[in-house]
Structure formats: C-alpha cells, structure tokens
Amino acid sequence: MSRDMTSKRPSFTDEEALDFHSQPSPGKISMAPTKPMGTQRDLSLAYSPGVAIPVLAISEDEDKAYDYTSKGNLVAVISNGTAILGLGNLGPMASKPVMEGKSVLFKRFADIDSFDIEVDTTDVEEFISTVRNIGSTWGGINLEDISSPDCFIIESRLREELDIPVFHDDQHGTAIIAAAGLINACHITGRNMEDLKVAVSGAGAAGLSVAGLIRHLGVKAENIVMCDSSGVVYEGRTEKMDQFKSAFAIKTSKRTLAEACEGADCLLGLSAKGAVTKDMVKSMAKDPIIFAMANPDPEITPEDIKSVRDDAIIATGRSDYPNQVNNVLGFPYIFRGALDVRARSINEEMKVAAAHAIAELAREDVPDEVAAAYHGARPSFGREYIIPTPFDPRLISFIPPFVAQAAMDTGVARKPIKDMESYRHSLARRADPAAAFIQGVQAHCKENQRRIVFAEGEEPAVVRAAFSFKNQGLGHPILIGREAQVQRAMEQMGIQPGSLEILNARLSDNNPLYTDMLYSRLQRDGYLKRDAQRLVNQDRNVFGCCMLKNGDADGMVTGVTRNYDVALNDALLVLDPIPGQAIIGMSMVINRGRTVFIADTSVTELPQGQDLANIAIEAARGVRALGFTPRVAFLSYSTFGNPMGERGEKVREAVAILDGMKDIDFEYEGDMNADVALNTGHKLLYPFSRLTGPANVLVMPAIHAASISTKLLESMSRATVIGPMLLGLEKPVQIASLGATVGDIVNLATIAAFDVDDVHTS
C-alpha cells in the first residue's frame, strides 16, 4: 500500500469541531428505550407495579440481572482526566467529550451500549472506592486516560475486587493491536518470536503492557530492552524506577535507546516525537520491524526511516500512514466476546487470542468496504498491510469468538457458548442487519452448487465478485469475456490462473446452437439471422441468457456496465416471463431490525390496476420464497379513500381485482398511507383492516415513488437495501446497479442461485 492509498487525516477548523459536538443537540450520545412506552400498561410494566417482579427475582439471584436488565450489554467508560489523549491532565470534565466518543465507538463497532463516568479525584484509593461501589451496575468497565503508574494500581485492584471485566484500554488496547502487527511482521520476515530481539522506547502504561503481552507471545524476557527518559531499564537501576518497570529490568550493559537498537530486530515506540533517530534505525538488524506509535507525531516518521532503510516494516498510530495501530480494532470486540460469555475478567489468554485473531484477519482477502477507505485502492497482506483497518466489517464476527473461546477455556466464562458457528452469525447480524437474510440464502446456495454466469467478466469488480462467490462456496461462477483480458485482471488481483471458468462468447462451440435458438425466437420481430449471430457473438447479456435458456447455466448477474433498462431488454430478447407471473423489481429494506420489501422499483413506470395486482402477487410469492410471511399494503397518498385522486383510484382498482380472485393466499389491504401500513396499532383506527400486523410488502403506486422512497431510506437512515431483485423471469437474472460494489454483485449472484431452488422450482 503506497501513501496515496491511505485515507488522509481529517481537516477541520476548531469551529467545525465545536459545532459537531454541540449541534443539533449537545454531546454525542443519548438514551433510547428498548421497550414500548406508549400506553399506561407499558408504563406499568416498565415501572411500578410490574418492575417488582424482576426486582424480586434478582434479589434472590444477582446473576438474573443479566436476564432482566441491560447489564449484560452495558460497559462504563471511566476516567479522571489525568492523561487525556496527548493533552495531559486537564481534569475529569475536560475528558467527557473523549469518554462520550469512546462510548460511541462501542456502539458503532460492537453494538455495545455504553455511557461515560468522570470521577473527580486524583487519589488512587478514592478512585478505586468510587468505582468499586458502583461497579456491579455494568457488565464491564473500560478505564481510560488515567496517568501512569496510577492506572496500573487502579486496574489491578479493580480486577481483584470486581466480578466483571475491567480493562484499561490505554495499556492493553495498544498492546493487543501492536502484538497482532508484530505476529504478521514476523510472518513476513520469517522470524520466530522466541528469537526476536526487541527495543522498547517508552515505559509508560502502553509500553509496559506491550512488553508484557509480547512475552506471552513467546518473546524472551531477556530479549526485551525497555527504555524510558532515563535510558535502559536494567537490573540495579534506582533512578525513576517503580514496581512496574522493575518487572522488565534485565541484566545488560546497554544504557541508552541507541545502544538498545543496535542489532535489534524490532523497535516498539510508545514514547514521544523525535525519540528515535536515523542512526538508530541504521543500526538495526536486517528487515527491521519499527512500530513508531507515539501520537500525534511518531518517534520517527516513515519518511525518515525509508531514507536510511528500504527493508523496514513500519507501523504508526496515525491514519495517514500504512499499518495504523488503532485501539478501535481491539476494545469493542474484546468486550463483545467477554460480555457474551458473561466473563468475570479479561485475562492474558483472552488478549493473546484477540491479537492472533486480528493478525489472522489481516491475511484474509480485503472486501470492498475496506477498499473504499483507500479511495478504491485495494490493500493486500504484505509489508504495508499487516494490520486490518477499522473499516473492515468482518471484525465484529471474527474477533469476539476467539475472545469468548479463550474465556471459556480459562474458566472465567459464566455462560459458555454452545454453538460457536451460530454465535458468529449472530455477531454478523449485529453489524449488518442484512446479514441474517444473506446467511439464510447462502446456506441454500452452498447445498445446491449452481452455475452462475457473471456476464461482464472483464470488469475487475466482477472478476473479484466471481472469485469471492466461489471462495465462499456459493456456487460455480462463469465469467463471460475474452480470456486474455480476464486473465490479466486476475493476475493483477493475485488470483491464480485457472481458478475461474472463462467463456469467450465469440469463440464458444455453442454459438451455432444459440444463434439458431435466438433466430427462431426473433425472426418474426424483424431480425435476420446475422442479427441473431451478432447478438450472440457480441452481447454478453444475450450470450449469458442463451446459456440459461439452453440449460448450460442456472442463473446470471449483470448490470455493472449498462443501465438497468438496457440489461433487462437484453434478457427479454432471450427469456420469457414465467407464465401467469409479472416481471417486477423488488428491493429489500432493513432498518433497526425491521424488514420491508418495496415493489415495483425497476420495471413498470406507471402501473394500472391490473399491473399493481400482478405486482402484489409476484412480490408476495418472492417474499414467501425468501422465508417471510407476506402482508401486502397498496400504498397511496390516500387512506381508504381519503382523499381521492387518479393514482388512488388505480390502487383501489388493484385491491378490487384481488378481492375478485379466489386463489390469493396472502394478506393485503389498501389504499393506505405508509405510516398507517407500517403502524403496529393501525387497526385501532381502522378495525376493518385485513392486515393482522404491520405490512412488510409495500406496493407503490408508481415506479418513481418506489425508487425515491427506497433511495431516501438508504441515504437518510441506517437502512440496508438489497436489490432491486428481479422477479418473474423464466430463468433467474439479477441486474446490479451501475458501478456496483463487489459485495453488491456477490449478493445478487447469491440471490440468482437461490432463485433456482426457491422461486422457479416451487
């Protein structure tokens, strides 16, 4: 990864920063109830008298608090403001914006509820007493920005006196991420941990914790030379020593950081800007590993390192250089794993497990979401990518299982996880609300290995999607394109030749068969045989659909380089609608745990009454095939005739058409406003409504309404949108949007494979 592949540090004015924290409301966090509070009964259950029941249960067994309160998903972020970021001792209230920010990170990255506590004391015993007395409120405590050596004493005592995880992130967070990077740096340079010679610049909280953790990874104690502002920490030294530094004192004649660097394999910087010189770097061993992690400015810049060494593996604490040692890679997921087994503590084994998990993830192929953070460039495991980026969506489902397993193995878990695979799936759902749906579809695809055509096979995103589709075991991908171009794209991505099947439409042995088949279909529509031949030779969508029509493939995904309408018209040259069904586009929208399907989002611009009825039937069929029970609402600006209008009449006509049909096997109602259709209590106002619950299939009065509403939900809320999924063709074809990501293409290819089983053969 070159410098231009990294994200630039954010640039903003002081006023912008203040506005961000003050507008539209002060601060960055708020509380939202998880239960309904709309009626007197709700309030009676939430408070008096209903709350007495769980109170009595918890009084008999305090562990029941995990079952009846939010304790099991709640972490406190606690500080006294004595070491705020790089700003020093500014007091507890000045630390509040930072602590709120930490709480936001817990929620954003691991779906952990969190709030901040600022303790107004610098007295260690008073701090410990305060936190101990309120500690049982939470499932875990994250200590933050507490100066050294007080932080060691505070954490150690609270770990002993509380029966929940207590974790000082300034120590262990940095240590875990640095250890993960070191594991991979050793992997790249062919080193063994037990042989590693390490110099450490900085004997504060982070430096001592890093040194302690790498000893657990196998680095010998005598090979770690710890240095502070007074030089090497050696046996017999008395100046600026304490019990924590003394644990790392070794027998050595070295007295300075410069001497410690001579012949060292690794330099870990956790001190201050300028602490390391070029001469120190020059004196290190071949392929030196240099982690200059001081913030905001490293001990030595990567530019200075590279000016004297071209063989160094470099990491910093900054986002504008490769290999950022960022604590957000660790603490959310470590707590997630600890909370999910109701751990009594976070021990060394759990930290080591987290480090190995992070290191392993960096060696995996990088998804689109990560590449987006590098402005489209795609890092791959190597000297300039040894640590995953915080933008990697896989972190939530990858790291916590390692931590949870270590907690179970070491006996600190109150509630062991019995099915780790199901646990991984549940974690993925926390980060991405679409994950549960996709996982169910993928399970079907893995059982029925279908052949899926990737029509635009020369496009890099399509090649990568096909490779991902195959690697996930979802089916057999077939790339349509010229072999040389596809192979060139594969080589650039590091994909081995022969890994993917490639078909050149122009050179296919099936050309004559496909041409005759297409000509017999189009000859009365003004096409000559040479026109059919040209389409088969030159139009990959047509060729791919001919494969489907002839049974040479099971499904197809396209659309990355062509407008939706063009791709659909290409498909319709070869394929027919399923008899008695309508061709529609349907989008799946998932937001805050709620799923709705919107139709028609891509095919019929201004549907008439019969069109709307057909759309509803096809949407209900597709929704049921995807594992949902359809409840269809025909949406309008009117609700049951008030007010009336031309589009409203079309909607009412559609409802009347369904009323006259005998074989309708799903709930439907309309005309309705969206707020009525989605309201769980709409029957209170409209008791005649036939819907037994809120609608989950929304049939829009026109394509512009469907498209606009879907895009608004995707852009202005946290909604995840899958689709539009194309339904109603005799063979499954899915059309991506122009410039779709690899993830989008894989999802649609998966849906195409799923359609074969659950829509078209049902």
Side-chain angles (χ1 to χ4, degrees), residues 148-162:
S148 176
D150 291 356
C151 60
F152 298 112
I153 301 169
I154 289 169
E155 187 201 40
S156 177
R157 288 274 302 281
L158 288 174
R159 287 182 63 182
E160 291 175 1
E161 298 179 24
L162 290 173

Side-chain angles (χ1 to χ4, degrees), residues 575-609:
L575 303 174
D576 293 314
I578 298 172
Q581 293 184 209
I583 298 176
I584 70 166
M586 181 175 71
S587 293
M588 182 180 189
V589 181
I590 309 170
N591 188 30
R592 298 178 183 177
R594 190 171 187 176
T595 301
V596 296
F597 297 86
I598 298 177
D600 168 27
T601 52
S602 59
V603 179
T604 307
E605 184 176 1
L606 290 172
Q608 301 300 303

Side-chain angles (χ1 to χ4, degrees), residues 473-487:
L474 299 172
H476 180 83
I478 304 169
L479 291 166
I480 306 300
R482 294 165 293 181
E483 290 88 342
Q485 282 77 357
V486 178
Q487 292 285 7

Side-chain angles (χ1 to χ4, degrees), residues 5 36 55 136 277 290 344 392 429 561 674 733 740:
M5 291 172 64
V55 166
S136 60
T277 67
I290 303 172
R344 299 182 185 277
D392 196 320
R429 290 194 292 271
T561 62
V733 174

